[in-house]
Amino acid sequence: MSLLSLRGVTCRFGGITALNRLTLDLPAGAITGVIGPNGAGKTTLFNCITGAYRPTEGEIALRGESLVGLPPHRIARRGIARTFQNIRLFHSMTVWEHLMVAQQGGGLRASLAPLGLSGPLPRRRAMAALERFGLEPYRDRLAATLPYGVMRRVELARALTAEPALLLLDEPVAGMNSQEAADLAALLHGLSGSGLTILLIEHDMSFVEQLCAQVHVLDFGTLIASGTPAEVRRIPAVIDAYLGVEA
Ligand SMILES: Nc1ncnc2c1ncn2[C@@H]1O[C@H](COP(=O)(O)OP(=O)(O)O)[C@@H](O)[C@H]1O
Ligand SMILES: [Mg+2]
């Protein structure tokens, strides 16, 4: 079953076509990869899905319901969370504060307030996130003082405190050492196993091969190939556009 569907999604900036009539379906409960050279439109795809950009044309739907034109916070509330290519944490906030703030202002919090759950529930969720991501030792550290791999885990924990159905990860491995990447792969594998749907932009092909059932290849905003990682690796257009150096 498809969780997210894109139909003919085009996103232009002046003369640049960052996404060109992109059509794809994201199966629920799987990790799907997006690869392609720099400037291919990968981050623009995430920006269109999350409402940061409005597509020039086309349709994006979550479980059949259109997302186009909704503001980012409403799309987030429907169950889509993301991390950013460049880490976006608040330097002078602690890990704990990040996890608590991530849960504020949502409809859920407001609707639970009359039941007296608005206090304990966010705390319980934040504590669960600390434990799940191995962040207890860093609970009261300011974000600015954390090692890089830990910052990435805080971003991921923050994205997941809202309990999304779909998680968008924009180059999460960039800057990680091999141990941090292996830990992240195990974590994502576990999240996927518990039903989370993940769309992963990543340059590290071994990471993609390890996790993704299906990969989509973008080049100049156009979808040039889709298939298993092993399949797309063999497609000449993909080798030309992207894998040439490696192959
Ligand atoms: N806000 C924007 N304004 C103008 N051009 C943009 C904007 N966002 C992205 N682009 C352009 O769209 C193209 C795709 O960018 P991007 O989606 O960031 O690629 P990728 O993430 O694959 O490296 C690039 O040419 C980029 O310069
Ligand atoms: Mg990008």
Side-chain angles (χ1 to χ4, degrees):
M1 193 201 67
S2 154
L3 179 67
L4 185 81
S5 65
L6 286 85
R7 294 287 173 271
V9 174
T10 294
C11 187
R12 288 193 203 95
F13 303 100
I16 297 169
T17 302
L19 284 180
N20 187 12
R21 288 190 258 171
L22 184 61
T23 290
L24 57 85
D25 285 289
L26 215 58
I31 306 180
T32 301
V34 176
I35 64 172
N38 286 328
K42 304 181 299 296
T43 298
T44 299
L45 168 64
F46 279 14
N47 284 329
C48 286
I49 294 171
T50 57
Y53 297 164
R54 187 183 177 135
T56 317
E57 286 163 32
E59 183 54 80
I60 302 175
L62 183 72
R63 296 189 196 90
E65 291 184 38
S66 180
L67 300 177
V68 175
L70 293 179
H73 69 274
R74 289 197 45 206
I75 293 176
R77 239 183 271 161
R78 289 200 184 185
I80 300 180
R82 77 180 293 182
T83 62
F84 292 90
Q85 189 168 349
N86 303 305
I87 291 180
R88 293 192 188 179
L89 295 175
F90 298 98
H91 286 187
S92 58
M93 273 170 49
T94 64
V95 171
W96 179 256
E97 286 165 346
H98 275 93
L99 298 179
M100 291 299 286
V101 167
Q103 303 177 69
Q104 276 172 13
L108 183 62
R109 185 185 164 86
S111 66
L112 289 175
L115 302 173
L117 292 173
S118 67
L121 184 63
R123 293 184 68 83
R124 272 210 301 278
R125 282 210 187 126
M127 282 191 289
L130 285 180
E131 194 185 328
R132 179 168 216 172
F133 293 90
L135 292 169
E136 288 126 321
Y138 304 99
R139 185 195 145 117
D140 297 316
R141 289 266 297 268
L142 297 180
T145 70
L146 299 172
Y148 186 83
V150 178
M151 286 189 186
R152 282 279 181 207
R153 291 215 301 273
V154 174
E155 271 210 312
L156 198 55
R158 175 177 63 179
L160 290 171
T161 48
E163 298 182 358
L166 171 61
L167 177 65
L168 310 177
L169 300 171
D170 197 345
E171 301 193 24
V173 179
M176 282 191 172
N177 64 39
S178 59
Q179 185 58 53
E180 289 168 339
D183 291 347
L184 179 64
L187 197 63
L188 297 183
H189 188 74
L191 290 168
S192 168
S194 61
L196 182 68
T197 303
I198 300 174
L199 187 58
L200 169 73
I201 296 174
E202 188 45 64
H203 283 298
D204 182 332
M205 273 308 284
S206 68
F207 193 82
V208 169
E209 280 173 10
Q210 217 179 320
L211 290 170
C212 299
Q214 182 110 29
V215 182
H216 300 289
V217 188
L218 286 177
D219 189 31
F220 292 110
T222 300
L223 185 66
I224 60 166
S226 299
T228 66
E231 282 164 0
V232 301
R233 247 181 194 287
R234 291 194 298 266
I235 298 173
V238 177
I239 297 168
D240 286 349
Y242 185 54
L243 298 170
V245 192
E246 233 181 296

